[in-house]
Amino acid sequence: MGSAQTPDPKDTPMLRMNYLQNETDVKKLVEGIKLMRQLFHSNFFDEFRGAEIAPGAEVQSDEALVAYIRNNCNTVWHPVGTCKMGIDPMAVVDPELRVHGVEGLRVVDASIMPTITTGNTNAPTIMIGEKAADLIKAGRTARTVLSKSNVQNPAYSPT
């Protein structure tokens, strides 16, 4: 989704959302429009059905539907799951939200969720932030206790 172009954290990262980059995704959306049309044209909707608003009755061919999708499809601003949490090779962050291979950086947002919640993402994202705050405070407390005891622990490197 995003990548740093330089090692300078003040530089703006490049964000590449990759929406509709996979043709399978586009085909699924085309089939979804066709299915919705089929459902709404069943006699169960006769008393409710009006004129099709979007993409419009004139948009029929797969090519026209693909063009409509590419021109009009967008996000609802609840992306999740782009920074997998875990200990496997595909994970971006560890269970304490630390980015693998980047010291001092954590990801603390909905991107660590494995899938989108069935409700709004606000409350779960707040809880991720609360958990991250607890993890950061616990790390600082552990470093303080260790330094006061003059104990070296490689898990907690001084910052």
Side-chain angles (χ1 to χ4, degrees):
M1 185 167 166
S3 64
Q5 301 301 304
T6 71
D8 186 347
K10 294 177 185 170
D11 288 346
T12 303
M14 177 168 66
L15 300 178
R16 186 176 306 136
M17 303 306 278
N18 291 329
Y19 293 132
L20 306 175
Q21 294 302 303
N22 188 316
E23 284 304 311
T24 301
D25 294 338
V26 178
K27 288 177 183 175
K28 285 180 182 179
L29 290 170
V30 168
E31 293 306 314
I33 291 172
K34 290 178 179 180
L35 178 60
M36 291 306 298
R37 283 177 166 169
Q38 184 180 3
L39 289 171
F40 281 112
H41 282 91
S42 68
N43 52 352
F44 295 107
F45 288 97
D46 284 349
E47 66 180 284
F48 307 106
R49 186 182 323 105
E52 182 177 316
I53 297 170
E58 70 283 357
V59 181
Q60 291 294 319
S61 71
D62 284 2
E63 294 79 18
L65 289 170
V66 168
Y68 171 80
I69 290 165
R70 290 199 181 279
N71 288 327
N72 294 284
C73 192
N74 60 29
T75 180
V76 292
W77 305 111
H78 289 92
V80 305
T82 57
C83 288
K84 177 180 166 57
M85 177 174 55
I87 55 172
D88 61 282
M90 292 296 295
V92 175
V93 299
D94 69 15
E96 293 191 10
L97 310 177
R98 297 174 296 205
V99 175
H100 293 293
V102 182
E103 189 176 335
L105 181 62
R106 294 181 195 248
V107 173
V108 183
D109 61 23
S111 64
I112 67 153
M113 293 180 190
T115 58
I116 194 164
T117 61
T118 56
N120 192 288
T121 58
N122 186 1
T125 304
I126 290 170
M127 297 316 306
I128 291 168
E130 293 289 335
K131 181 63 177 178
D134 291 344
L135 291 167
I136 292 166
K137 287 189 280 187
R140 286 187 177 154
T141 301
R143 283 193 302 272
T144 301
V145 168
L146 291 171
S147 66
K148 284 183 179 179
S149 303
N150 201 23
V151 175
Q152 297 295 318
N153 185 338
Y156 298 104
S157 60
T159 54

